[in-house]
Amino acid sequence: MKKLYFVIALAIFVTFGLVLFNHLNKDFLEKSAETLDIIKDIEKNEYKIESDVLKSSFYLYYNYDEIYKSVSQIEKNIKRLKERHLSDITHKQSKKVLEEYEREFKKKVDAIHQFETVNSLIKNSQIYIPTLSLKYIQMVEKPDVEYFLLLNRIISSLFLIKNSQDKTFLNELYQDIQRLKKFSFKDEKLQQFHNILLSHLNVFVKSFPIYYEKLEYILEKNRDIQIINRLKETFIMETDREMKVISAISIGSTALFLVVLGYLASLLIKLEYTNNLLKRLQKNLEMKVITDELTGLPNRKAFFLRERNYKEPTLVLINIDNFKHINDLYGSEFGDQVLVKLGSFIKSYFDKKGIKAEVFRLGADDFGVLYENMRDKTAQIVEELINEIENHTFVIKLREGSREIDVELTINVSAGVSYEKPLLEKADMVLKYVKKRREKYMIYSSDLDLTKLIEENLRILRIIKYAINNNGVDLYYQPIFDNRTGEIVKYECLVRIRDREGNVLSPSTFMPIAKESKYYGAITRTVIEKSFARFRDTDMDFSINLSSEDIADREIVNYIYQVLEKEPEVARRVTFEILESESIENYEQIYSFVKNVKKLGAKIAIDDFGSGYSNYSHIVNLEPDYIKIDGSLIKQLPYDLYVQVIVSTIVDFSHKLGIRTVAEYVHNEDVFAMVKSLDIDYSQGYYLGKPSKQCCIR
């Protein structure tokens, strides 16, 4: 009986021990997995810091906050590991490695601070020195050719040194600066200009070696990433030792109490499974760092690692045209399927051709193809690849309620090709150039002179900023005439900006650049503010142009609502002209905006109607007060019977709905006569009145 009691007691003891053991084992696994996740996050942020530092070295304008967000996240993770995850004695070695990593990381952060300072100096000199070449031409009536050529050679050397990251060009720059120092000028202003130029060059020459040293240290010579890999290996090794201890306890418990042998056996199986799971987790963590989760292709980090192995590389950067429209129309889940299918299609194309190439996903809708030793065939490869993609019908699954349907989709793409390092930067640069010119692909060449294009865009951007901050946003007013009475019934407010010298820039010069910057909303707000101020104390109607970007901007829309509510008398005289070709992209926003401003007393005009995207259903739904017929049609009225039929149809359709019509670009007497004969209500154009700062004269 005593033996029975002993066995029962032993069974209860072992059962309790096994339950406790199972609970501790679960905590151990969760803690181990969480620790590995934290180490992975540190590793991911390390690579992000390197990527962001590299971006900051090439982009003239870059927000360093992104770098310090990653730095802050790493510091938080280090603190978490020290205080919680690596605090017990079993991970003593891992904690030492972590402390070693922390010291190396602090060195890296110090290097980043120093790099940030010297990078700013380099960029300032790189931007400012080229402008001195133009200033020199403006200052002298007869430039010194030798001095001017030397100055331009120095500027070329600056761009070569900065963009190639090659210190070997410094010797040539030193020699040119020494030659430049030999020049002196009797003219005091010219000598002062010469001294300023030399001081900026001196800043660049002194700063670049430091800049190069810090960038090289951050990207290549630092040991922190090696140490974090060692931390991961050390932690896994220590975890394995803990696992062995746990397994020994499990086996001992099994031998001690044979009655619970089945339970202990199942536990050992679970432990073995968990051990394999940890090993697979380690492999997965290593793969996830360099693999895109959506497509399974190597990612941007993998590209930067592998491009170093290529001696004569070619990078083809492929971008989906208007991918945003696909997401907007079908949803992001559908768009993800498109990306997966396209990545697989590109990879299969090169496999089918027997071309040894690596395919990467480099951005949201950017794919990169990297191969070597086939530059003479690149044009043929890229043309054929684009044709294959655009002629292929992709079948994508789309869920519609409870059922799933197949959507057949064709994809248009553009490509930029680069043979020169940095491959990705130059391929991206030429890709943007291709999209701007609406071509299919282009191979990067220094003959494209994209640097001058970038410089010109930056110059326009500086003028925009100056105009906004110095009351340089002006309004010009073009009259709109009643075709029956011949009187001016309204003025259209047209925006211009002035530079420091008082030169006036037209919208075609600055508006495309403004739309891509943070200043576009400020221009629209200024136009609204000045328009209301100009017409507040008159009885004249006026109109303001709005783009789809304006109506998508909640701040601008709310500001318009506030102004209309505050000044109802002026609100009844304002018309907002919405570009018809743009409104298709965000129809719901347009509809909501139109509905609200009409409630507040304002009127709506659809601008450029007939420009190629006209949709009569939009007119019915939006119920505009005016339709402005596009100038491309009005200009041809007297000379093209087909155009006369189109315009007559628009006018008849509008009048039946009670909508008044306006003819744009009335530039001569023949056009004006035809406009009146077609019963168009109003006319606007240079024949009747050019844009001017004067207005409100009936």
Side-chain angles (χ1 to χ4, degrees), residues 39-47 228-229 232 289:
I39 294 172
K40 171 195 169 186
D41 191 60
I42 291 175
E43 195 175 24
K44 181 181 74 175
N45 279 289
E46 278 279 3
Y47 289 130
I228 201 66
N229 285 328
K232 183 165 54 178
V289 172

Side-chain angles (χ1 to χ4, degrees), residues 212-244:
Y212 184 88
E213 176 191 350
K214 296 303 176 185
L215 183 60
E216 188 178 37
Y217 173 81
I218 293 168
L219 297 181
E220 296 180 6
K221 294 186 177 179
N222 54 307
R223 295 177 55 245
D224 49 342
I225 293 179
Q226 298 174 4
I227 296 172
I228 201 66
N229 285 328
R230 184 150 51 88
L231 172 61
K232 183 165 54 178
E233 294 170 359
T234 304
F235 175 79
I236 291 172
M237 182 180 67
E238 291 173 341
T239 303
D240 285 341
R241 285 201 296 266
E242 285 187 79
M243 288 293 298
K244 290 176 182 178

Side-chain angles (χ1 to χ4, degrees), residues 116-165:
E116 177 184 350
T117 301
V118 75
N119 190 28
S120 299
L121 290 173
I122 289 286
K123 288 180 180 178
N124 287 339
S125 296
Q126 187 186 8
I127 294 171
Y128 185 73
I129 290 173
T131 63
L132 295 177
S133 176
L134 296 176
K135 188 174 181 181
Y136 172 70
I137 295 298
Q138 295 170 354
M139 290 179 65
V140 297
E141 293 181 2
K142 187 176 181 182
D144 186 323
V145 175
E146 182 183 357
Y147 183 85
F148 181 72
L149 291 176
L150 182 58
L151 178 57
N152 278 278
R153 191 162 65 247
I154 288 172
I155 292 170
S156 299
S157 296
L158 291 179
F159 277 99
L160 281 172
I161 294 169
K162 177 62 172 63
N163 293 332
S164 67
Q165 303 292 325

Side-chain angles (χ1 to χ4, degrees), residues 1-11:
M1 197 67 177
K2 288 182 179 179
K3 289 182 179 180
L4 179 60
Y5 289 149
F6 175 76
V7 172
I8 293 172
L10 186 60

Side-chain angles (χ1 to χ4, degrees), residues 337-354:
Q337 291 186 62
V338 172
L339 293 172
V340 172
K341 294 263 188 179
L342 179 58
S344 177
F345 184 87
I346 294 171
K347 193 172 187 308
S348 66
Y349 168 81
F350 284 93
D351 291 342
K352 182 176 63 178
K353 291 291 181 181

Side-chain angles (χ1 to χ4, degrees), residues 310-314 371-375 419:
Y310 286 76
K311 295 180 181 178
E312 293 186 6
T314 296
Y371 57 85
E372 196 163 32
N373 298 328
M374 296 184 65
R375 293 183 178 178
Y419 304 139

Side-chain angles (χ1 to χ4, degrees), residues 185-229:
F185 302 91
K186 294 180 181 180
D187 185 279
E188 184 178 347
K189 289 185 179 179
L190 201 55
Q191 184 62 38
Q192 184 179 11
F193 161 84
H194 181 67
N195 293 337
I196 291 171
L197 173 61
L198 288 173
S199 66
H200 276 278
L201 289 171
N202 189 43
V203 169
F204 184 92
V205 168
K206 287 182 178 180
S207 301
F208 185 80
I210 303 171
Y211 160 88
Y212 184 88
E213 176 191 350
K214 296 303 176 185
L215 183 60
E216 188 178 37
Y217 173 81
I218 293 168
L219 297 181
E220 296 180 6
K221 294 186 177 179
N222 54 307
R223 295 177 55 245
D224 49 342
I225 293 179
Q226 298 174 4
I227 296 172
I228 201 66
N229 285 328

Side-chain angles (χ1 to χ4, degrees), residues 373-586:
N373 298 328
M374 296 184 65
R375 293 183 178 178
D376 56 330
K377 297 181 180 179
T378 290
Q380 177 186 344
I381 290 171
V382 175
E383 287 178 8
E384 188 174 323
L385 174 60
I386 291 174
N387 287 334
E388 289 275 343
I389 293 172
E390 295 188 344
N391 292 327
H392 181 74
T393 300
F394 292 86
V395 179
I396 312 296
K397 299 289 185 182
L398 178 65
R399 182 164 294 280
E400 190 178 72
S402 60
R403 65 193 184 97
E404 198 173 60
I405 60 174
D406 289 339
V407 176
E408 294 185 349
L409 183 73
T410 56
I411 299 172
N412 291 324
V413 296
S414 304
V417 183
S418 176
Y419 304 139
E420 302 177 23
K421 293 185 177 182
L423 289 169
L424 184 55
E425 180 188 350
K426 291 188 176 179
D428 185 58
M429 188 184 297
V430 77
L431 176 61
K432 290 176 181 175
Y433 186 69
V434 164
K435 284 187 171 290
K436 187 172 183 180
R437 293 167 61 93
R438 296 186 178 180
E439 297 181 3
K440 296 311 293 180
Y441 82 96
M442 189 173 291
I443 299 172
Y444 177 84
S445 167
S446 57
D447 295 338
L448 291 175
D449 206 6
L450 299 180
T451 303
K452 285 189 177 180
L453 180 63
I454 293 171
E455 287 177 357
E456 177 62 15
N457 290 344
L458 291 174
R459 185 185 73 84
I460 299 296
L461 197 61
R462 288 194 294 270
I463 293 174
I464 294 170
K465 182 179 179 181
Y466 172 81
I468 291 172
N469 294 332
N470 295 276
N471 195 29
V473 178
D474 293 334
L475 292 187
Y476 279 56
Y477 309 95
Q478 186 172 26
I480 299 174
F481 290 81
D482 187 318
N483 288 335
R484 294 176 181 80
T485 66
E487 293 184 355
I488 297 174
V489 293
K490 183 186 296 188
Y491 284 90
E492 180 178 355
C493 302
L494 304 170
V495 66
R496 306 285 190 270
I497 63 172
R498 283 178 285 110
D499 62 13
R500 293 177 184 272
E501 289 73 34
N503 300 312
V504 177
L505 275 69
S506 65
S508 62
T509 303
F510 66 85
M511 198 59 78
I513 298 170
K515 285 186 177 183
E516 296 178 3
S517 72
K518 62 181 180 180
Y519 303 116
Y520 180 64
I523 293 174
T524 301
R525 191 183 181 102
T526 302
V527 169
I528 295 170
E529 182 181 330
K530 287 193 172 185
S531 298
F532 271 71
R534 183 67 185 84
F535 289 92
R536 183 176 292 121
D537 298 324
T538 73
D539 61 349
M540 182 64 68
D541 288 1
F542 62 103
S543 63
I544 300 172
N545 290 292
L546 292 179
S547 68
S548 60
E549 287 88 352
D550 295 320
I551 298 175
D553 188 332
R554 293 309 308 166
E555 289 187 11
I556 292 296
V557 169
N558 290 334
Y559 175 68
I560 292 172
Y561 293 160
Q562 291 170 10
V563 171
L564 295 178
E565 289 174 351
K566 185 178 178 181
E567 302 190 54
E569 290 298 323
V570 185
R572 284 193 287 272
R573 291 186 281 112
V574 66
T575 300
F576 291 105
E577 296 187 10
I578 301 171
L579 191 60
E580 200 274 338
S581 60
E582 291 181 316
S583 65
I584 290 177
E585 297 181 8
N586 52 355

